[in-house]
């Protein structure tokens, strides 16, 4: 618990951290809480919320809050140290700041890296793919759904859809993707995954994808 009082006004704010000061491995959308500030005159109190990678934090993410918590809706960066504080204000221009607290977000997992649209770039041992073929993609959604589309050039040179499949996927291990679509099950064994490169083995064929 951290606290600060404004000299002369006796208005105090005490921060009870749902994410403890110095915590690590924190979700990138944390809920940060504090105790209600007390004003000796009974004036209404509101809060400004600051967070950032610098110490002290200077980015005001929210102002005029009447709740005693704030939820980060836009994900913070992974594996990053953040500092935060709140300022309590009454309607008589009195204010007080909390101490500065910090936490570190967790490293991005393979499951989190997988979310998004991945375009086919190459197949190991095969001829380079055409521009049209590279429009093909796999898209992994947060709700466990998967969408895939393939493209080819027809006899007139037009790039058209060759296949569309929808289904579900699950990661039973950090490096294995199990998919199910129209009664067909497939397993992709992840070889490499970063923010923009996905390489996996599907029944002995090595595919490389790039994220949009």
């Amino acid at each position: 618990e951290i606290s600060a009082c404004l000299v002369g006004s006796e208005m105090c704010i005490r921060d009870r951290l749902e994410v403890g000061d110095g915590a690590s491995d924190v979700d990138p959308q944390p809920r940060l809480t504090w105790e209600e500030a007390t004003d000796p005159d009974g004036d209404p109190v509101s809060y400004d919320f600051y967070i950032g990678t610098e110490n002290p934090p200077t980015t005001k993410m929210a102002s005029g809050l009447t709740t005693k918590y704030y939820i980060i809706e836009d994900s913070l960066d992974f594996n990053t140290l953040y500092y935060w504080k709140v300022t309590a204000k009454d309607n008589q221009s009195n204010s007080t700041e909390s101490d500065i607290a910090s936490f570190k977000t967790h490293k991005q997992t393979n499951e989190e890296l997988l979310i998004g649209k991945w375009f086919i770039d190459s197949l190991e041992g095969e001829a380079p793919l055409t521009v049209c073929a590279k429009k093909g993609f796999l898209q992994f959604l947060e709700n466990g759904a998967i969408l895939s589309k393939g493209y080819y050039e027809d006899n007139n040179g037009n790039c058209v859809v060759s296949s569309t499949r929808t289904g579900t996927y699950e990661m039973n291990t950090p490096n294995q993707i199990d998919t199910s679509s129209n009664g067909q099950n497939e397993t992709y064994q992840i070889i490499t995954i970063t923010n923009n490169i996905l390489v996996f083995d599907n029944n002995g064929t090595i595919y490389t994808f790039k994220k949009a």
Side-chain angles (χ1 to χ4, degrees):
E1 183 177 284
I2 57 178
S3 64
C5 294
L6 183 67
V7 175
S9 76
E10 297 182 355
M11 185 170 69
C12 297
I13 181 171
R14 290 181 172 81
D15 292 1
R16 181 186 300 159
L17 306 181
E18 192 162 310
V19 175
D21 187 17
S24 60
D25 202 29
V26 174
D27 187 271
Q29 292 179 295
R31 173 187 168 113
L32 302 170
T33 64
W34 54 89
E35 285 190 355
E36 182 178 7
T38 58
D39 184 273
D41 300 318
D43 296 327
V45 177
S46 63
Y47 308 94
D48 294 344
F49 177 84
Y50 295 81
I51 192 169
T53 56
E54 68 283 351
N55 186 12
T58 57
T59 301
K60 185 190 295 186
M61 185 168 285
S63 61
L65 297 171
T66 56
T67 59
K68 295 175 290 183
Y69 65 89
Y70 187 76
I71 300 173
I72 307 294
E73 294 183 353
D74 295 327
S75 290
L76 301 174
D77 293 333
F78 291 95
N79 197 31
T80 301
L81 179 64
Y82 283 93
Y83 300 90
W84 72 280
K85 67 179 182 179
V86 290
T87 299
K89 304 180 298 183
D90 66 13
N91 58 4
Q92 303 298 320
S93 299
N94 294 312
S95 65
T96 185
E97 288 188 355
S98 71
D99 288 343
I100 297 169
S102 67
F103 62 88
K104 190 173 185 179
T105 53
H106 68 68
K107 293 181 180 180
Q108 198 167 15
T109 65
N110 284 357
E111 190 168 6
E112 289 165 332
L113 285 167
L114 190 64
I115 302 301
K117 183 180 285 188
W118 298 87
F119 289 90
I120 183 68
D121 187 68
S122 65
L123 280 74
E124 187 176 80
E126 300 290 335
L129 298 178
T130 64
V131 172
C132 175
K134 286 187 175 184
K135 291 180 65 177
F137 66 85
L138 288 172
Q139 185 172 12
F140 297 90
L141 304 179
E142 291 184 4
N143 63 2
I146 184 173
L147 168 66
S148 67
K149 279 191 177 183
Y151 288 81
Y152 78 104
E153 292 185 12
D154 64 16
N155 293 332
N156 296 318
N158 299 314
C159 187
V160 297
V161 175
S162 61
S163 62
T164 300
R165 294 175 61 187
T166 59
T168 59
Y169 75 93
E170 185 176 6
M171 295 190 70
N172 292 316
T173 72
N175 294 308
Q176 182 175 305
I177 311 167
D178 294 323
T179 69
S180 178
S181 177
N182 299 325
Q184 295 183 333
N185 298 321
E186 289 189 293
T187 296
Y188 306 148
Q189 195 68 36
I190 295 174
I191 298 172
T192 301
I193 186 168
T194 67
N195 286 321
N196 50 27
I197 295 291
L198 170 63
V199 182
F200 63 73
D201 183 334
N202 178 225
N203 293 324
T205 301
I206 308 301
Y207 295 79
T208 298
F209 286 77
K210 293 185 176 180
K211 185 171 280 188

